Amino acid sequence: MNYKKSYFKLTVLFVLFFAACSEAPEINNETMLDGDQIFDPSLYNPEDYLVSLSVENPTEIQKNTPVLITVHGYSASTFEWDEFREYSTINANILISQVLLGGHGRTYEAFKESTWKDWQNPILAEYNALRSKGYTNINFAGSSTACPLVLDLIKEGKIGENGMKNIFLIDPIVIPSDKLLTLVGLVGPMLGYFESTNTAVEDLYYYRFRPQETLNELLDLIDKVRKDLQKGYLLPTNTNMKVYKSIKDDTADAVSAVLIYKGLKNSDGTPINVEMLDSQLHVVTRLEGRENVTQKDREIQQQVFDDMLTILMQ
Amino acid sequence: MKKKHYLFLLFITSFMCIQSQNRKTQNDWLGEFKVGVRVQKTQKLYWENGLTVDFTSPKILKNRLHLGLSYVSSRFGSAMGSNAIKQDNFLINAGYFFRHQKKLQPFGRLNTGFFYADYESEIFDVLPNTALLLSLDAGFSYQFDAPITLQISTGYNLNTGTGSAGPGTLFPVFYQLSLYYTLFK
């Protein structure tokens, strides 16, 4: 009798477990990046986005012009840096490479199968391509997850001495704001994916559904970077860094900036430059597609853009 | 920060004085008084280690209710010789222990107290670095034949940092191991 009761309880548990396991998300192919109809435009015309492809044989002037590799965050696409590109086209003489992270800008399935190393590969590929073409003034600007990806490249020595002049980090994520992310390994397999609250415009450029596998990858990445920062390391010689961090951010906890400030120093051992922004937006440099954008948000965005361009043109 | 350490010491001293005074006036009031060390690991974050005391009384739920104080800090864990954030947890707790006359005792505990993180640079003065702690933990206690008790537990912080409020390095899940020496019984 007891055996039968135990068997019944076990069966109920299994049924509950599998019932809790979510099915595939309901993707609208016509309105969501997650589907099989909308892809990042850089996949169709990479030469419009990557300086290494757009200029076959750069002149000496072009080789010495600042090139900024801009990289978006987790679940985003090249769209995240469109506003900066438009602003800098009017206000400065720089070249911009808008890099699409691996596994991004494609389908939900492609995203699900990608690892954080896959996300990172196109950054290094564009950096190496620019170096091999003779560009001497290479710079980097990353938002959110792009930041731990480039921090890892620095730590692993893949960006060497005199390799990059300036690195700008916008709302780097080392510590997530949603602390339940630390439990994704436990609850993720039951849920399958997490749904974000995108606006209709954001649905075109950001994955709405986040596979638990990719959240585990994100967690692995930031865990590695946090441990590297804990041990401490230096920027390459002649590379400067500036971190811009919103003080209230529901994606990348502001304490991420503290960890970077403590763990990463200039090559001469002096502290890196950090500016705390009086903003409540994650990645204030991208405002298009958001709801309820204020004048203050626009002012902060312009202030950051101007600051970056001033540093780049020095 | 020194003030907080002095306050904590004062708190422990007062607690022990009250114990001894009570012992003089009411010998049957005191059950067990244990002091020990605690090792704590937060899921996906730091090791935080420190000291802990535990007290029971036959007059409070017949020794089943354990009252305690503890101080754990990354200063004695992950932040030793590294760039981890120095953070302190000052806690008082009340735990209910089952099978209290047996060697192996399952228990559940409610903890509250104060959290402080030292960001070290004035750039980060705009960020919250203190919080009221509120957590639950549950585990097992094992009383050895010698006056030694081992406790292991898993806990959950109810008041974690959210990005908009609260210190960012206050994470939800933690694991504890405490080793006590029974001072008197």
Side-chain angles (χ1 to χ4, degrees):
Chain A
M1 190 64 192
N2 283 339
Y3 171 77
K4 278 185 179 174
K5 271 186 180 173
S6 301
Y7 181 76
F8 177 72
K9 282 179 185 170
L10 263 176
T11 309
V12 169
L13 273 175
F14 270 112
V15 168
L16 282 175
F17 178 80
F18 285 111
C21 289
S22 180
E23 293 174 4
E26 288 183 22
I27 297 167
N28 184 333
N29 288 318
E30 291 173 5
T31 62
M32 294 179 189
L33 178 66
D34 312 60
D36 57 8
Q37 291 179 24
I38 302 170
F39 292 88
D40 189 88
S42 71
L43 293 171
Y44 298 110
N45 300 303
E47 64 282 1
D48 290 347
Y49 287 83
L50 300 175
V51 173
S52 64
L53 297 178
S54 65
V55 185
E56 188 66 32
N57 295 306
T59 62
E60 283 307 307
I61 293 172
Q62 283 172 320
K63 284 179 185 174
N64 295 318
T65 302
V67 185
L68 184 65
I69 301 172
T70 62
V71 187
H72 59 86
Y74 168 83
S75 80
S77 62
T78 54
F79 170 78
E80 197 154 89
W81 284 95
D82 278 356
E83 284 158 80
F84 178 79
R85 183 182 196 125
E86 286 161 17
Y87 190 84
S88 61
T89 303
I90 299 165
N91 295 286
N93 178 30
I94 62 169
L95 300 168
I96 295 181
S97 268
Q98 277 175 278
V99 170
L100 178 69
L101 293 180
H104 286 68
R106 299 163 171 88
T107 62
Y108 173 85
E109 286 302 324
F111 187 36
K112 184 178 170 180
E113 286 162 17
S114 64
T115 67
W116 70 261
K117 292 270 185 191
D118 296 331
W119 307 345
Q120 189 183 53
N121 286 339
I123 304 174
L124 194 58
E126 178 62 4
Y127 167 74
N128 285 334
L130 291 170
R131 296 267 292 171
S132 65
K133 287 215 164 187
Y135 288 96
T136 60
N137 191 344
I138 303 172
N139 304 269
F140 177 93
S143 42
S144 196
T145 299
C147 305
L149 290 172
V150 79
L151 288 173
D152 180 68
L153 290 176
I154 295 167
K155 174 68 177 64
E156 299 305 323
K158 296 189 175 155
I159 294 171
E161 293 186 0
N162 302 307
M164 271 191 191
K165 204 167 175 186
N166 296 290
I167 296 176
F168 304 100
L169 304 184
I170 315 290
D171 285 337
I173 182 168
V174 181
I175 298 284
S177 293
D178 185 353
K179 302 300 184 288
L180 292 179
L181 185 62
T182 57
L183 302 177
V184 75
L186 187 68
V187 299
M190 283 185 275
L191 298 172
Y193 62 89
F194 294 78
E195 186 174 357
S196 62
T197 53
N198 287 349
T199 64
V201 173
E202 286 172 332
D203 264 352
L204 299 168
Y205 304 105
Y206 291 78
Y207 287 125
R208 185 177 191 87
F209 300 104
R210 292 146 184 213
Q212 60 96 12
E213 291 86 350
T214 60
L215 287 167
N216 266 311
E217 288 294 321
L218 174 62
L219 199 58
D220 286 348
L221 166 67
I222 60 178
D223 202 43
K224 177 185 187 298
V225 169
R226 178 182 60 78
K227 285 174 181 166
D228 288 341
L229 290 168
Q230 210 161 296
K231 290 174 194 157
Y233 54 103
L234 299 175
L235 282 168
T237 309
N238 295 324
T239 297
N240 299 304
M241 176 172 282
K242 178 145 188 193
V243 178
Y244 304 90
K245 187 74 204 70
S246 291
I247 58 173
K248 291 188 176 176
D249 181 336
D250 60 7
T251 302
D253 201 298
V255 81
S256 302
V258 182
L259 295 186
I260 295 170
Y261 183 80
K262 281 172 67 79
L264 183 61
K265 306 286 182 199
N266 291 316
S267 60
D268 59 0
T270 55
I272 59 164
N273 199 352
V274 175
E275 183 177 346
M276 301 305 287
L277 305 174
D278 184 17
S279 168
Q280 300 194 13
L281 295 181
H282 178 58
V283 187
V284 69
T285 44
R286 192 275 300 180
L287 298 177
E288 289 301 311
R290 289 188 199 265
E291 286 174 346
N292 306 319
V293 173
T294 65
Q295 182 56 31
K296 186 183 171 190
D297 296 328
R298 297 199 183 285
E299 286 168 8
I300 294 171
Q301 184 198 48
Q302 188 177 337
Q303 173 205 323
V304 173
F305 285 175
D306 286 339
D307 192 51
M308 288 170 66
L309 292 177
T310 303
I311 293 169
L312 284 171
M313 299 307 291
Q314 276 170 356
Chain B
M1 200 50 234
K2 277 184 179 173
K3 272 187 185 172
K4 288 188 185 80
H5 285 130
Y6 289 140
L7 271 174
F8 182 67
L9 278 175
L10 190 66
F11 193 34
I12 288 188
T13 314
S14 313
F15 185 77
M16 293 179 81
C17 287
I18 291 166
Q19 293 300 315
S20 61
Q21 199 172 357
N22 280 347
R23 210 170 146 77
K24 280 175 196 165
T25 54
Q26 217 174 342
N27 283 333
D28 58 346
W29 195 80
L30 186 65
E32 269 188 297
F33 186 73
K34 295 183 269 197
V35 296
V37 290
R38 175 167 291 173
V39 176
Q40 177 172 301
K41 174 72 174 74
T42 302
Q43 172 87 358
K44 294 288 177 187
L45 200 65
Y46 297 146
W47 288 93
E48 293 169 284
N49 308 322
L51 300 170
T52 178
V53 296
D54 184 272
F55 160 77
T56 64
S57 167
K59 299 226 166 183
I60 308 174
L61 296 178
K62 295 179 181 173
N63 287 319
R64 288 185 179 88
L65 185 76
H66 287 233
L67 300 173
L69 297 169
S70 60
Y71 166 68
V72 292
S73 174
S74 62
R75 295 170 200 276
F76 310 116
S78 292
M80 286 177 80
S82 87
N83 297 308
I85 290 173
K86 296 178 179 71
Q87 55 186 43
D88 306 293
N89 300 263
F90 304 89
L91 285 158
I92 56 174
N93 61 63
Y96 189 85
F97 283 58
F98 300 90
R99 294 164 43 100
H100 77 286
Q101 286 174 331
K102 308 277 186 183
K103 284 187 170 182
L104 184 66
Q105 303 174 6
F107 68 88
R109 200 158 43 191
L110 176 68
N111 312 283
T112 187
F114 177 74
F115 175 90
Y116 169 81
D118 184 2
Y119 297 149
E120 297 179 51
S121 168
E122 62 186 22
I123 300 169
F124 306 111
D125 285 352
V126 289
L127 301 182
N129 67 335
T130 59
L132 180 74
L133 289 169
L134 186 62
S135 65
L136 297 167
D137 72 314
F140 294 93
S141 175
Y142 188 82
Q143 171 79 61
F144 289 92
D145 290 333
I148 302 287
T149 305
L150 179 71
Q151 286 180 5
I152 54 168
S153 67
T154 302
Y156 191 86
N157 263 320
L158 299 168
N159 187 23
T160 58
T162 64
S164 301
T169 47
L170 191 48
F171 273 41
V173 176
F174 60 86
Y175 312 98
Q176 279 180 357
L177 186 149
S178 306
L179 194 65
Y180 290 97
Y181 178 78
T182 305
L183 274 184
F184 41 82
K185 192 171 183 178

